[in-house]
């Protein structure tokens, strides 16, 4: 018997996977954002370590020593006051403390400290007030109140004595070191400078990658962009050079294929033309007229097949994209279908401009309307613009008919070259139409039509 899987071992993997997916959603999606994040994270960690070392060691030690010195001097003054209660001696002590200790002293006889008010911290991120309170508790050991808010230059300390309250005004510079500002400015300033230089450098590198991606996208849509200038890092230059070589190879392949098929078409059309002339020159007795007519129809069908094969293989590769009004093309193709006897209704905006190969798209839409006209009585064509997420929009053309349609299982088969689902066709109409749509960066799909027949949905990127 096989052992049952241990589900408890797989359970902890689910929260880990959820956390991983959540963090992945917070990361920037672009290369520039991720590259800057790779630079920024170590920079922030370095700043955090430096600040922690400064706060935890240097600043903490200096703050404790400064607070201990002021508290010790205040304790010494209080002890001298207790030993020399004579007013003349106190006056001498206060004058000497102001000169030698830089402490302004005043005594309020018979006063009481009262309730200490709640005040906001002077600098919440620094340990100044806590260190002073700790030092006063150790070296003075009397109730006191330290006011850091009333005077911008001094800290006012009031100490409760048995016969009154001692007021001490100590300069802030004796409790606070100005090197903190210099350290913070140096740390943040240098980090911002380094981050700015890194962002500028990475932006130039990413710009080259974006240009390469844009060139690949444009070439995939059949637009002639010429040779791309290699720039950026060595790897990006290598990729740009490889892309240029790829363009040259593809262009040579397309040109060779088009020239070869053009030669084949010419070679096939020459004997077909001779056959047509021979049929026209033959005498037509009554009993041979049907045979001659049948042969003439065969020649015409062969000519149509050769033209269709050439159009499919060529794929309109020689035509360049240009800004074109899609709505105008749809109206022209629908008007031609009406002249051929079809009942076509068009719903389209006044204009919808996008980069297209006009002749190729006319052939694409013409093939779709011809297929609908052969199998249906009514045809409806709609043109609209639909969103495409964050990358832009689609221009959509739908061709609906009321014909018998195509079973869903055979719809993809209908796009294969030379696959025909009806008699009298070459099986290239839909294949050529999809080839043209995909050359524009779009596609064609077949669906059920609201009219009861088949719907062909054409999407083209704007």
């Amino acid at each position: 018997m096989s052992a049952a899987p241990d589900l408890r071992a797989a359970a902890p993997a689910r929260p880990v996977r959820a956390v991983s997916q959540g963090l992945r959603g917070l990361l920037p999606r672009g290369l520039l954002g991720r590259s800057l994040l790779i630079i920024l994270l170590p920079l922030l960690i370095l700043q955090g370590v430096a600040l922690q070392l400064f706060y935890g060691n240097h600043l903490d030690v200096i703050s404790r020593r400064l607070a201990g010195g002021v508290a010790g001097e205040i304790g010494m003054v209080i002890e001298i006051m207790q030993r020399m209660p004579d007013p003349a001696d106190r006056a001498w002590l206060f004058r000497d403390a102001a000169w030698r200790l830089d402490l302004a002293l005043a005594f309020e006889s018979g006063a009481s400290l009262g309730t200490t008010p709640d005040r906001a911290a002077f600098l919440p991120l620094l340990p100044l007030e806590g260190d002073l309170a700790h030092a006063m508790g150790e070296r003075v050991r009397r109730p006191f109140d330290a006011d850091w808010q009333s005077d911008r230059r001094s800290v006012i300390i009031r100490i409760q004595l048995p016969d009154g309250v001692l007021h001490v005004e100590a300069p802030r510079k004796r409790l606070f070191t100005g090197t903190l500002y210099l350290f913070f400015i140096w740390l943040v300033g240098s980090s911002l400078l380094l981050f700015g230089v890194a962002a500028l450098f990475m932006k130039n590198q990413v710009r080259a990658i974006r240009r390469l991606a844009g060139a690949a996208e444009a070439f995939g849509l059949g637009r002639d962009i010429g040779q791309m200038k290699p720039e950026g890092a060595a790897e990006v230059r290598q990729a740009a050079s490889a892309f240029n070589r790829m363009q040259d190879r593809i262009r040579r392949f397309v040109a060779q294929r088009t020239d070869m098929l053009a030669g084949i078409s010419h070679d096939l059309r020459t004997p077909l033309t001779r056959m047509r002339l021979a049929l026209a020159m033959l005498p037509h007795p009554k009993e041979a007229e049907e045979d001659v007519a049948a042969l003439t129809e065969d020649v015409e069908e062969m000519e149509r097949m050769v033209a269709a094969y050439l159009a499919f293989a060529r794929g309109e590769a020689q035509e360049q994209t240009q800004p074109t009004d899609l709505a105008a093309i749809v109206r022209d193709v629908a008007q031609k279908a009406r002249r051929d006897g079809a009942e076509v209704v068009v719903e389209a905006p006044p204009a919808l401009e996008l980069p297209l190969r006009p002749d190729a798209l006319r052939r694409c839409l013409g093939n779709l309307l011809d297929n609908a006209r052969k199998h249906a009585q009514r045809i409806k064509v709609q043109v609209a613009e639909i969103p495409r997420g964050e990358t832009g929009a689609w221009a959509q053309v739908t061709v609906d008919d009321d014909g018998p349609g195509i079973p869903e299982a055979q719809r993809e088969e209908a796009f294969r070259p030379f696959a025909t689902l009806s008699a009298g066709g070459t099986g290239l109409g839909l294949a050529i139409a999809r080839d043209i749509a995909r050359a524009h960066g779009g596609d064609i799909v077949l669906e059920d039509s609201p009219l009861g027949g088949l719907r062909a949905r054409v999407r083209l990127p704007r």
Side-chain angles (χ1 to χ4, degrees):
M1 295 179 62
S2 59
D6 189 2
L7 299 180
R8 292 174 297 178
R14 296 180 181 177
V16 173
R17 190 180 301 112
V19 172
S20 176
Q21 293 177 353
L23 292 177
R24 192 179 305 167
L26 296 176
L27 292 177
R29 301 185 64 181
L31 177 60
L32 178 60
R34 295 194 174 191
S35 301
L36 293 179
L37 187 62
I38 293 174
I39 299 172
L40 183 61
L41 279 179
L43 201 60
L44 291 177
I45 293 174
L46 177 62
Q47 285 186 348
V49 172
L51 287 174
Q52 179 61 32
L53 291 176
F54 183 78
Y55 279 126
N57 296 308
H58 180 68
L59 180 62
D60 195 24
V61 170
I62 291 178
S63 177
R64 286 201 305 268
R65 288 178 179 176
L66 292 176
V70 172
E73 292 171 1
I74 294 174
M76 180 60 70
V77 169
I78 293 175
E79 286 296 325
I80 295 174
M81 288 175 61
Q82 298 296 322
R83 293 176 179 272
M84 303 172 63
D86 185 62
D89 292 336
R90 286 190 177 182
W92 165 81
L93 177 62
F94 288 178
R95 287 194 305 270
D96 208 55
W99 172 46
R100 298 179 185 276
L101 305 179
D102 200 16
L103 295 176
L105 302 174
F107 182 72
E108 186 178 358
S109 179
S112 176
L113 187 62
T115 304
T116 303
D118 293 332
R119 301 185 184 93
F122 168 59
L123 289 175
L125 299 180
L126 299 181
L128 305 179
E129 299 179 29
D131 288 342
L132 179 60
H134 181 72
M136 291 289 292
E138 282 186 349
R139 305 195 181 191
V140 177
R141 298 181 181 180
R142 294 179 182 273
F144 75 95
D145 174 34
D147 183 4
W148 292 75
Q149 307 292 338
S150 300
D151 193 339
R152 295 181 58 185
R153 296 184 178 181
S154 303
V155 178
I156 300 174
I157 305 172
R158 298 186 302 148
I159 304 99
Q160 181 69 60
L161 299 180
D163 53 347
V165 174
L166 176 64
H167 296 262
V168 181
E169 187 174 333
R172 287 182 186 267
K173 63 182 180 181
R174 294 204 56 191
L175 295 166
F176 177 70
T177 174
T179 57
L180 174 65
Y181 292 119
L182 296 177
F183 177 78
F184 185 77
I185 292 173
W186 171 80
L187 191 66
V188 175
S190 61
S191 300
L192 291 177
L193 178 62
L194 293 175
F195 183 73
V197 172
L200 182 62
F201 176 77
M202 289 305 304
K203 185 177 181 181
N204 292 333
Q205 298 302 313
V206 172
R207 183 186 302 153
I209 298 176
R210 286 176 177 170
R211 289 186 67 250
L212 178 60
E217 179 70 17
F219 184 70
L221 297 177
R223 302 169 188 170
D224 188 8
I225 59 173
Q227 292 290 313
M228 181 182 176
K229 180 182 178 182
E231 60 180 3
E235 292 80 3
V236 181
R237 291 173 179 267
Q238 183 179 0
S241 300
F243 175 75
N244 289 333
R245 292 193 297 269
M246 180 194 69
Q247 282 192 100
D248 294 337
R249 288 194 296 268
I250 292 177
R251 288 195 183 101
R252 286 196 301 268
F253 170 74
V254 172
Q256 291 172 359
R257 187 185 71 165
T258 303
D259 293 341
M260 178 187 67
L261 291 172
I264 294 174
S265 174
H266 180 270
D267 293 342
L268 289 176
R269 283 176 175 173
T270 299
L272 289 175
T273 303
R274 289 200 301 266
M275 292 171 63
R276 181 184 289 276
L277 290 175
L279 289 172
M281 298 291 293
L282 286 176
H284 294 269
K286 296 292 186 179
E287 59 276 7
E289 287 184 359
E290 294 183 1
D291 295 336
V292 172
L295 287 174
T296 303
E297 290 180 0
D298 291 340
V299 171
E300 291 176 351
E301 183 179 357
M302 291 175 68
E303 288 179 339
R304 288 195 302 270
M305 293 174 64
V306 169
Y309 297 160
L310 183 59
F312 172 72
R314 185 172 62 242
E316 304 299 332
Q318 303 301 322
E319 188 181 7
Q320 300 300 322
T321 58
Q322 55 184 316
T324 308
D325 186 359
L326 176 61
I329 291 181
V330 170
R331 293 188 186 95
D332 292 343
V333 175
Q335 185 62 31
K336 181 180 180 300
R338 292 190 189 101
R339 289 195 298 268
D340 293 338
E343 180 185 342
V344 184
V345 177
V346 177
E347 294 181 2
L352 183 58
E353 189 172 282
L354 61 153
L356 298 171
R357 299 189 190 97
D359 294 338
L361 193 63
R362 283 190 177 90
R363 174 174 282 107
C364 171
L365 298 178
N367 288 351
L368 296 178
L369 288 177
D370 285 343
N371 286 342
R373 180 176 57 84
K374 292 176 182 178
H375 303 92
Q377 298 295 326
R378 292 186 301 129
I379 304 173
K380 183 179 180 181
V381 184
Q382 293 177 302
V383 182
E385 183 179 4
I386 59 176
R388 187 174 50 156
E390 300 178 355
T391 59
W394 292 103
Q396 179 174 276
V397 181
T398 57
V399 180
D400 293 297
D401 62 57
D402 61 349
I406 299 177
E408 185 176 356
Q410 299 180 8
R411 288 173 185 170
E412 196 61 30
E413 177 73 17
F415 285 109
R416 296 182 59 184
F418 314 114
T420 176
L421 303 179
S422 62
T426 61
L428 289 174
L430 289 177
I432 293 174
R434 172 173 273 188
D435 187 54
I436 293 172
R438 288 181 171 176
H440 282 82
D443 202 356
I444 299 178
V445 294
L446 301 180
E447 303 170 348
D448 292 327
S449 172
L451 300 181
L454 185 68
R455 162 175 283 185
R457 185 192 301 272
V458 184
R459 285 188 176 181
L460 304 169
R462 292 211 64 187

